Amino acid sequence: MTLKPMPSPEEVLQLIPSGVSLDTLRDKGVVPLRISGGVMSVALSALSAFTEAQLIASKAGMSCDTEIYPASDIQHLIRSLYDIKSGIVQDTLSSIEEVNDLSELARQEVMSDTVDAPVIRLVNGIIVESLKERATDIHIEPYEDRVTVRYRVDGVLLDKYSLSKGHQAPVTSRIKVMANLDIAERFVPQDGRIGISLGERMVDIRVSSLPTQHGERLVMRLLDKARGLLSLEELGMKPDERKRLEELIRRPNGMILFTGPTGSGKSTSLYAILQALARPQVNIITVEDPIEYDLPGVGQVQVNDKAGLTFSSSLRSILRQDPDIIMIGEMRDFDTAHIGIQSSLTGHLVLSTLHTNDSISAVTRLIDMGIEPYLVSSSLLGVVAQRLVRRICPHCREEVPASGVILQHGIGMAWRGKGCEMCRGTGYIGRFGLYEQFDVTPEIQAAIAEKTPSSELRKLARRNGFCTLLELGIKAVANGETTPEEMLRVVGEV
């Protein structure tokens, strides 16, 4: 039997009787579809929900007729109803001043239409809207006469809402209550976590508060469990790049570093590698600050400086745990780097990150931290410098004449996104990685031990096909993957 097409969410919203919440429809798996001749047709996925369908129709004063639909279709329609009703941020701004008793605010399901307190609905709306726009961070920034809410989408901060100064205290307090922070302490930085759900979708939020001149500034990092962890194949590496990296990580010992600024995807790459290496025969232990995702089959240690559990002290203890592979979240100082290198020289594969502008500079950085050149040359297997570049929206891309630096590299035409509804007017959807890989060959090992300058190391690396981030970015522009402006914004001109 052919199913009738479901009506639009706007039509369905008008059919829901007063006193019936979307939460109830979602939990019971039923939704009203249409009314004809005093009979309400209600969709359900299983006959066990027949009683609930009858109750909904009776609350509207009608008899009930049921239609069987796939559960996925019903839930998709209900999610659309939530999307309509979650557009509440602007609607609740005028009523937020009515909230006085902040101590009564508690954790709740954020995708709910049964919340009464305006401040809760406002904060829930900000979170739900950020996830709809694929944001990775929410910034709540107080100024002298206003509070600005910004989302970081595809690595770029976008202004979203401007709240009055009167909204600052209730919004800040609500978020701190959700994160189990001390709402009475306003002059000391605090960190916390929030676990929220949107129906069946689970999201972890890291919250950081920082006292500023005009009040507490909050940043919330969103970790969407639905997106999951990426595999090596999903990182977006070119086939030859992935093959070279896979050869490195299959080595029994040595050190592999990922470099780049904050937000360039280093941790994502490390997690992808650990997933590829995790198996029952191997003992993998990580030291992280913070632990972003749980990795099955991997022992993960959370750094706690207040308790004396630093990167270096954790590493000393880890070495007594008989590990095969060690992942260090970041090499911050001499102690951490020294222990990591010693571990790589004693039969362990060590993975870590370092803050440098390119891959070859990692050698100089380690030496500047106090590591002897001969130790660097003996332990280092390779370095990957990476950047995340926004991808041109495929729905509104158009070809335009190239100019400036791109034109100088022999590229006459480039692509850009005009801006459309799909990309919310930005011209970009999603990001992809640029991976500058520096493999340490025997020839380069000898050069590092002799304190050869970075410029000479680069010349040696080019013999093995080394490409700089700028060269990789220019190729991406030539292939129509990103715009010249975006490439130069992320990579620069040098």
Side-chain angles (χ1 to χ4, degrees):
M1 183 180 69
T2 304
L3 295 174
K4 297 179 183 178
M6 283 188 165
S8 69
E10 290 79 10
E11 293 174 304
V12 171
L13 207 55
Q14 304 301 316
L15 304 179
I16 300 175
S18 175
V20 176
S21 70
L22 297 186
D23 297 351
T24 299
L25 299 183
R26 180 191 64 199
D27 294 341
K28 303 301 181 182
V30 297
V31 62
L33 296 179
R34 58 188 70 86
I35 295 175
S36 177
V39 178
M40 175 179 281
S41 296
V42 181
L44 63 160
S45 59
L47 292 177
S48 57
F50 180 72
T51 302
E52 295 298 332
Q54 285 184 312
L55 287 174
I56 292 171
S58 66
K59 286 188 176 183
M62 302 182 187
S63 58
C64 178
D65 179 34
T66 57
E67 299 179 24
I68 302 294
Y69 282 82
S72 58
D73 290 353
I74 294 175
Q75 292 301 327
H76 178 75
L77 177 56
I78 294 174
R79 281 196 295 270
S80 299
L81 298 176
Y82 274 116
D83 286 344
I84 294 173
K85 296 194 72 173
S86 68
I88 58 172
V89 177
Q90 299 295 348
D91 296 339
T92 54
L93 294 184
S94 59
S95 57
I96 207 72
E97 283 82 7
E98 299 173 7
V99 179
N100 296 314
D101 190 2
L102 298 175
S103 64
E104 295 300 318
L105 305 182
R107 292 175 178 268
Q108 298 203 25
E109 151 81 69
V110 297
M111 191 170 70
S112 175
D113 65 336
T114 58
V115 175
D116 293 323
V119 65
I120 298 180
R121 289 191 283 116
L122 174 61
V123 172
N124 287 359
I126 289 172
I127 294 173
V128 171
E129 189 66 22
S130 72
L131 290 166
K132 284 166 59 179
E133 298 202 11
R134 302 179 296 104
T136 55
D137 301 84
I138 303 171
H139 290 237
I140 299 178
E141 305 168 351
Y143 297 100
E144 184 176 6
D145 58 349
R146 70 188 192 284
V147 178
T148 299
V149 179
R150 299 199 287 173
Y151 295 164
R152 186 178 295 278
V153 181
D154 292 335
V156 177
L157 278 172
L158 305 173
D159 285 351
K160 187 63 182 178
Y161 304 110
S162 182
L163 313 182
S164 74
K165 194 65 176 175
H167 298 140
Q168 180 178 340
V171 168
T172 299
S173 296
R174 169 57 183 165
I175 293 172
K176 291 177 70 175
V177 166
M178 293 175 73
N180 285 326
L181 302 181
D182 185 352
I183 62 172
E185 181 56 79
R186 294 173 293 169
F187 303 104
V188 174
Q190 298 184 65
D191 295 297
R193 299 181 78 98
I194 303 172
I196 66 169
S197 62
L198 292 87
E200 298 179 354
R201 186 177 178 187
M202 306 300 294
V203 179
D204 283 345
I205 303 176
R206 293 207 316 264
V207 180
S208 171
S209 74
L210 182 70
T212 67
Q213 178 184 6
H214 300 295
E216 289 178 278
R217 180 189 182 112
L218 297 174
V219 175
M220 297 186 281
R221 167 65 58 88
L222 307 173
L223 301 171
D224 191 348
K225 301 290 188 181
R227 296 180 186 175
L229 295 166
L230 298 182
S231 64
L232 279 177
E233 292 76 15
E234 294 169 327
L235 286 180
M237 286 183 163
K238 301 293 188 292
D240 59 322
E241 293 173 340
R242 191 173 78 243
K243 181 181 178 182
R244 288 164 60 192
L245 181 61
E246 288 174 342
E247 289 174 354
L248 283 184
I249 66 176
R250 299 300 175 187
R251 302 276 286 274
N253 58 272
M255 183 167 65
I256 302 171
L257 298 177
F258 281 77
T259 74
T262 301
S264 60
K266 302 186 299 294
S267 296
T268 300
S269 296
L270 286 176
Y271 277 127
I273 291 173
L274 291 178
Q275 287 185 98
L277 295 177
R279 54 189 187 278
Q281 301 88 347
V282 176
N283 182 19
I284 302 176
I285 303 181
T286 73
V287 189
E288 305 173 58
D289 185 22
I291 296 173
E292 294 190 1
Y293 290 98
D294 291 332
L295 289 171
V298 176
Q300 296 173 270
V301 178
Q302 168 72 56
V303 167
N304 186 343
D305 290 331
K306 292 181 181 178
L309 191 64
T310 62
F311 275 110
S312 54
S313 64
S314 300
L315 277 173
R316 291 188 181 94
S317 299
I318 281 174
L319 291 173
R320 293 191 286 272
Q321 293 282 315
D322 186 31
D324 298 296
I325 299 169
I326 302 171
M327 192 273 270
I328 308 169
E330 181 185 344
M331 288 197 166
R332 296 181 176 177
D333 50 35
F334 168 78
D335 285 341
T336 308
H338 183 71
I339 297 171
I341 284 181
Q342 291 294 339
S343 301
S344 70
L345 294 173
T346 53
H348 306 89
L349 181 64
V350 178
L351 308 169
S352 189
T353 69
L354 198 63
H355 284 287
T356 62
N357 290 329
D358 58 37
S359 56
I360 295 177
S361 296
V363 174
T364 305
R365 175 79 177 114
L366 289 172
I367 294 174
D368 287 345
M369 290 169 71
I371 306 299
E372 292 292 338
Y374 74 91
L375 290 176
V376 176
S377 68
S378 302
S379 61
L380 193 62
L381 297 177
V383 185
V384 180
Q386 68 178 79
R387 300 289 189 276
L388 292 178
V389 182
R390 288 185 293 174
R391 190 185 301 277
I392 296 173
C393 173
H395 306 284
C396 61
R397 67 198 303 264
E398 63 177 5
E399 200 169 14
V400 294
S403 61
V405 175
I406 302 302
L407 193 60
Q408 296 172 15
H409 286 81
I411 300 175
M413 300 297 290
W415 293 85
R416 72 176 179 91
K418 292 186 295 184
C420 64
E421 183 179 345
M422 299 298 294
C423 62
R424 298 182 183 269
T426 63
Y428 301 95
I429 292 183
R431 291 188 289 177
F432 64 96
L434 299 178
Y435 300 93
E436 176 187 284
Q437 291 190 245
F438 171 55
D439 297 333
V440 180
T441 63
E443 185 181 22
I444 291 175
Q445 273 187 323
I448 293 173
E450 295 172 2
K451 301 182 181 180
T452 302
S454 296
S455 57
E456 295 300 318
L457 292 178
R458 183 172 285 104
K459 291 178 182 177
L460 292 173
R462 285 193 179 279
R463 299 178 187 175
N464 297 310
F466 175 81
C467 286
T468 66
L469 283 168
L470 178 60
E471 291 166 346
L472 293 169
I474 290 171
K475 288 180 181 178
V477 171
N479 293 334
E481 297 175 280
T482 192
T483 62
E485 296 79 15
E486 172 66 7
M487 187 275 291
L488 293 175
R489 180 187 71 85
V490 175
V491 176
E493 298 186 19
V494 294

